């Protein structure tokens, strides 16, 4: 049986559409998070208004909290049911770069160069 989920997508500037999507199989190290709450930030508002070019459709609300509902391969069982938030910043550390930038070395990955 194929699993689906519902999203509200930005399909063009100032246009939000409810969509059903098919879930893909979880890969190694991935989890499925059931979102409890999501914030709408200034970036989301600018995207909605059409001030930034971005591939569409796009689900806004990248700042969220939720519960780990399903585990992919190689995820410890104790993650199931945990409350989690997303880290919206990509950094040297998130990509396991062998020579991180000065900000990441100083434990400030949110300021990664």
């Amino acid at each position: 049986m194929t699993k689906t989920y519902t999203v509200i997508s930005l399909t063009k500037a100032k246009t939000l559409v409810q969509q059903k999507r098919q879930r893909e199989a979880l890969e190694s190290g991935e989890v499925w998070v059931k979102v409890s709450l999501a914030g709408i930030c200034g970036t989301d508002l600018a995207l909605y208004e059409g001030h930034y070019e971005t591939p569409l459709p796009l689900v806004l609300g990248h700042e969220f909290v939720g519960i780990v509902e399903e585990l992919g391969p190689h995820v410890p069982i104790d993650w199931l049911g945990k409350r989690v938030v997303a880290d919206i910043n990509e950094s040297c550390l998130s990509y396991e770069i062998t020579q991180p930038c000065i900000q990441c070395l100083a434990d400030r990955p949110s300021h990664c160069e």
Side-chain angles (χ1 to χ4, degrees):
M1 179 169 100
T2 304
K3 294 180 183 180
T4 62
Y5 61 103
T6 303
V7 299
I8 304 295
S9 291
L10 178 67
T11 57
K12 64 181 180 180
K14 299 182 182 180
T15 304
L16 298 171
V17 176
Q18 182 173 323
Q19 300 176 324
K20 283 231 182 258
R21 295 189 178 173
Q22 289 187 340
R23 284 181 48 184
E24 296 179 21
L26 294 172
E27 294 187 17
S28 182
E30 293 183 335
V31 299
W32 181 260
V33 176
K34 182 176 183 179
V35 175
S36 304
L37 300 166
I40 300 298
C41 70
T43 302
D44 294 320
L45 293 174
L47 288 165
Y48 174 80
E49 292 291 330
H51 299 305
Y52 292 141
E53 281 191 41
T54 189
L56 298 174
L58 175 70
V59 177
L60 302 174
H62 56 261
E63 298 171 353
F64 66 87
V65 62
I67 304 293
V68 175
E69 198 171 67
E70 189 176 323
L71 307 175
H74 309 293
V75 177
I77 190 72
D78 63 344
W79 273 76
L80 199 57
K82 286 209 183 228
R83 193 173 192 194
V84 295
V85 299
D87 184 350
I88 62 170
N89 299 298
E90 294 181 349
S91 68
C92 296
L93 300 176
S94 64
Y95 286 105
E96 298 178 356
I97 292 174
T98 55
Q99 295 180 332
C101 71
I102 293 170
Q103 297 296 340
C104 287
L105 285 172
D107 199 27
R108 293 188 294 267
S110 61
H111 299 281
C112 178
E113 298 170 4

